Amino acid sequence: MTAPTATTKTPPRRTGYRDVFAVREFRAVFAAHVLSLSGTVVAVIALAVLVYRDTGSALLTAVSFALSFLPYVLGGALLAPLADRHPARRVLVTCDLVCATATALMVLPDTPVPALLALQALTSFVAPLFSGVRAASLGDILHGDAFVLSRSLMRIVAQSAQIGGNAGVGLLLVVMSPRGALLITVVGFLGSALILRCGTRHRPPTARERATGGTWTLLRDRQVRRLLALFWLPPAFMVVPEALAAPYATELGVGTAAVGLLLAANPVGSVAGELLAGGLLRPAARERLVLPLALAGLPLLLLFAARPGLTSALLILCAAGMTSAYSLGLDRWFFDALPEELRARGMTLLTAGLMTVQGLGMTLGGLVAEYVPTHVVLAGAGGIGALCVLAVARSVYRAEARRPGSETGPTAM
């Protein structure tokens, strides 16, 4: 990770979100992100409704949801080598066109349910490549703190979509058929491809030679492994309350509307935390808070041992979500730790792993909740997760402390 050395005279200039939006090329990437993400949210829910309407099967409906993230690990593993070997703009536009084509085939009235599920899996399969290449390209478009804030803005949009997306698509499906809604997804992907093609510069691939074993090169780097673990572990445990929102609402004896509130609480906190950290703190302050914030969120889930009521539970989840602002400083460390020629591959690996561990966290949380009261599972996720994150955080801190010339770094533990 990078920290100021003894030769540093002045702290880095604090960049604001307004400065990031002042860059025309970023505005194009951001607009494309909003379009493709909106299309993805519509597709996930519309496809689930379509599958349930055609089959009446709760299992196949659940599978359609699961296929929105399960293929990430396979796509990340198989497609990661492409991230550095081809120009970023070409990769991004191609991924959007693949997703648009797959969704257009879903719209056809005679497409059978197995084909619908396969097409959904295809869009998720290419998603980590798209996300990784886009993240690496932001490092070419923006530098220093502007890059960190650009990543923050992407997460804010994603969390905001989670807050309002389900309700918005639900209202949309009142006036449109599921296949009609899927047409919106097609338009979103095509619009994203057009904006990226016309609004971003052509840049040559970062890997000048066809390297082999690039992914293993990254994973053999201890610092890269530590930082990946610090990215992955908190969300892997923090998604358990999301997976168990409905069972916890049932345990409290509150209405189904409470499920939506429980699902929204953590994303609301995440957006607030990102905005506060990105808007008020200097880069050095955000980096000093990486480890404290990463460690602070999961212990809050221990409060679920007392089976708090709905209002208290919402406050706990919102506060825990605010600690996700640790990602701002961690983004800078991780990007700097990656070799330039493998940055796109590294960001692809990060995205694929993040989605995979969250899927595993949801699954394991649900499995344990079959045998243990829900509030105990939530508290257990907080306790076990906190211990895991503590071990990784101590490793990251010790590695930074041993780095020659390091004058400042993570807050001492």
Side-chain angles (χ1 to χ4, degrees):
M1 72 189 71
T2 300
T5 65
T7 60
T8 302
K9 300 291 185 183
T10 57
R13 173 184 175 271
R14 185 169 67 192
T15 303
Y17 288 117
R18 182 179 298 179
D19 299 308
V20 178
F21 276 115
V23 179
R24 182 193 62 80
E25 199 169 358
F26 171 75
R27 294 199 300 271
V29 175
F30 183 82
H33 176 56
V34 171
L35 280 176
S36 62
L37 180 64
S38 301
T40 299
V41 171
V42 172
V44 169
I45 300 174
L47 180 62
V49 172
L50 180 61
V51 168
Y52 187 73
R53 189 191 68 183
D54 289 352
T55 66
S57 170
L59 174 60
L60 289 177
T61 304
V63 168
S64 73
F65 272 110
L67 288 175
S68 64
F69 62 85
L70 286 179
Y72 264 73
V73 63
L74 187 61
L78 296 181
L79 299 181
L82 301 177
D84 303 300
R85 295 176 185 169
H86 300 279
R89 186 174 68 180
R90 182 188 303 168
V91 172
L92 295 175
V93 171
T94 300
C95 288
D96 268 335
L97 293 177
V98 168
C99 292
T101 302
T103 309
L105 293 174
M106 295 181 195
V107 176
L108 298 177
D110 296 329
T111 305
V113 169
L116 291 174
L117 298 177
L119 291 167
Q120 172 70 348
L122 176 60
T123 62
S124 299
F125 180 74
V126 302
L129 175 63
F130 181 90
S131 299
V133 172
R134 182 184 60 203
S137 67
L138 288 175
D140 295 325
I141 296 170
L142 300 161
H143 304 285
D145 198 41
F147 164 75
V148 173
L149 293 182
S150 72
R151 292 270 293 159
S152 173
L153 284 167
M154 295 297 185
R155 286 192 295 267
I156 288 172
V157 171
Q159 294 289 354
S160 300
Q162 187 175 346
I163 295 168
N166 292 351
V169 178
L171 293 174
L172 179 67
L173 292 175
V174 172
V175 297
M176 296 185 68
S177 68
R179 283 193 163 89
L182 286 172
L183 282 174
I184 296 177
T185 301
V186 177
V187 172
F189 284 129
L190 291 177
S192 174
L194 180 62
I195 291 173
L196 291 171
R197 178 63 182 82
C198 299
T200 60
R201 288 172 46 200
H202 170 81
R203 292 180 174 86
T206 55
R208 295 172 177 82
E209 297 179 358
R210 190 179 182 86
T212 58
T215 302
W216 291 113
T217 299
L218 292 174
L219 294 177
R220 282 196 297 267
D221 186 313
R222 289 184 179 180
Q223 188 66 345
V224 170
R225 291 203 307 269
R226 293 186 186 105
L227 297 178
L228 282 173
L230 197 56
F231 262 118
W232 292 343
L233 280 174
F237 292 93
M238 199 65 75
V239 296
V240 175
E242 180 180 340
L244 300 180
Y248 190 68
T250 301
E251 189 174 293
L252 293 180
V254 294
T256 55
V259 177
L261 294 175
L262 290 167
L263 288 171
N266 189 276
V268 167
S270 296
V271 170
E274 293 264 358
L275 289 173
L276 288 173
L280 300 179
L281 299 180
R282 291 186 178 277
R286 291 199 294 264
E287 293 187 25
R288 284 194 295 269
L289 288 173
V290 168
L291 299 184
L293 286 176
L295 289 166
L298 287 167
L300 291 173
L301 299 187
L302 289 169
L303 297 173
F304 277 98
R307 204 174 76 166
L310 178 61
T311 300
S312 298
L314 293 175
L315 290 174
I316 292 169
L317 293 175
C318 187
M322 292 184 71
T323 66
S324 67
Y326 82 95
S327 297
L328 276 82
L330 189 56
D331 267 330
R332 180 76 268 163
W333 294 350
F334 184 68
F335 194 78
D336 288 345
L338 296 172
E340 182 179 359
E341 68 276 8
L342 293 176
R343 279 177 178 167
R345 191 177 306 206
M347 301 305 285
T348 300
L349 180 64
L350 168 62
T351 302
L354 190 59
M355 293 297 291
T356 301
V357 298
Q358 288 182 92
L360 290 173
M362 289 180 177
T363 303
L364 291 175
L367 178 62
V368 176
E370 289 287 322
Y371 307 98
V372 180
T374 304
H375 68 283
V376 176
V377 177
L378 298 182
I384 295 171
L387 292 175
C388 294
V389 175
L390 176 62
V392 173
R394 287 178 67 86
S395 177
V396 170
Y397 175 76
R398 289 170 177 168
E400 171 61 19
R402 289 194 298 267
R403 190 175 67 82
S406 177
E407 184 178 288
T408 65
T411 301
M413 300 177 62

